[in-house]
Amino acid sequence: MKKILVLEDETSIRSFVVINLSRAGYEVIEAGTGAEAFEQLRLHPDIKVAILDIMLPDTDGFEVCRKIRTADPHIGIIMLTARTQEMDKVTGLMTGADDYVTKPFSPAELTARIDALFRRTGAAGSQETGEIIQGPFRLNTRNRTLEKDGSRIKLTQVEYSIMKMFMDNPAKALSREDILNTVWGRDYFGELKIADVNIRRLRIKIEDDPTNPTYITTVWGFGYKWGL
Ligand code: CA
């Protein structure tokens, strides 16, 4: 069964999420504090997706996210954000999350996001083999890893998917809609901005100078282009 961690201290919201995810066929592990979340992850190493609230009694969701991501580059992470939180701040702090959902959200919206993450993490075991080598970059499509000049660059599943899309389409301008459709799937409910958030993070990891990117360039008013 597909296992999910739900970290949310407000019991009414947590019950709502748990009931709906259980109904959708997931096995849900609950936590009300950051400490409980780490304990549950230790007890259930097969958790594939974590849903993290931001305002918590003992810590904040970004810190939990950062720690989970350091320990596991492959787990899917969705942040639960409140409408009152400034989105620029939220996206800037999303150092390791793959996606975010704004409260109040519908169960359909949340399960669509989770399903999209599971499709990507599930693809890690697919039959695709081989390598794409371009310039200093070597993308191993079997292990889903990236090296630059022989050194491993740790990528999240989303960052890997974006990187693969770029390397499959060298020198081609890709619209943010193209990226969203390919990486997040056509049934994705989210905003185009999530593509920018992930690409900003990818640039920090792969560019020689992230403030002056040369591999992932911006195509103004349209999207991004991969080039060497
Ligand atoms: Ca809370």
Side-chain angles (χ1 to χ4, degrees), residues 161-217:
S161 302
I162 295 172
M163 195 65 192
K164 177 156 191 309
M165 187 183 182
F166 278 135
M167 290 179 85
D168 282 339
N169 295 280
K172 186 182 169 194
L174 302 173
S175 72
R176 294 149 93 220
E177 289 87 351
D178 287 340
I179 296 168
L180 215 64
N181 285 338
T182 303
V183 175
W184 279 266
R186 291 196 179 274
D187 51 357
Y188 181 70
F189 281 70
E191 302 158 40
L192 288 174
K193 200 170 171 182
I194 195 71
D196 302 322
V197 172
N198 276 276
I199 285 169
R200 185 167 66 211
R201 205 162 61 204
L202 192 53
R203 277 173 165 164
I204 292 168
K205 294 185 179 182
I206 68 151
E207 294 283 351
D208 302 330
D209 174 7
T211 58
N212 183 23
T214 55
Y215 299 116
I216 303 172
T217 49

Side-chain angles (χ1 to χ4, degrees), residues 77-96:
I77 301 176
I78 299 174
M79 306 301 296
L80 291 183
T81 67
R83 194 182 291 264
T84 49
Q85 277 154 342
E86 296 165 52
M87 282 322 293
D88 283 347
K89 193 179 163 205
V90 168
T91 54
L93 287 166
M94 273 187 43
T95 48

Side-chain angles (χ1 to χ4, degrees), residues 27-117:
E27 182 180 349
V28 189
I29 309 295
E30 299 179 50
T33 64
E36 275 176 35
F38 294 123
E39 177 62 10
Q40 292 295 2
L41 283 164
R42 198 180 61 75
L43 294 171
H44 304 273
D46 52 340
I47 289 173
K48 292 284 195 300
V49 170
I51 298 167
L52 310 177
D53 183 35
I54 293 173
M55 305 281 273
L56 296 163
D58 60 337
T59 179
D60 73 76
F62 296 119
E63 183 60 18
V64 176
C65 172
R66 198 184 59 73
K67 283 190 182 151
I68 293 175
R69 179 58 79 215
T70 306
D72 183 351
H74 298 301
I75 192 169
I77 301 176
I78 299 174
M79 306 301 296
L80 291 183
T81 67
R83 194 182 291 264
T84 49
Q85 277 154 342
E86 296 165 52
M87 282 322 293
D88 283 347
K89 193 179 163 205
V90 168
T91 54
L93 287 166
M94 273 187 43
T95 48
D98 298 296
D99 205 348
Y100 63 89
V101 176
T102 308
K103 296 177 195 172
F105 49 84
S106 70
E109 184 181 3
L110 185 62
T111 48
R113 303 286 186 92
I114 293 167
D115 287 342
L117 273 182

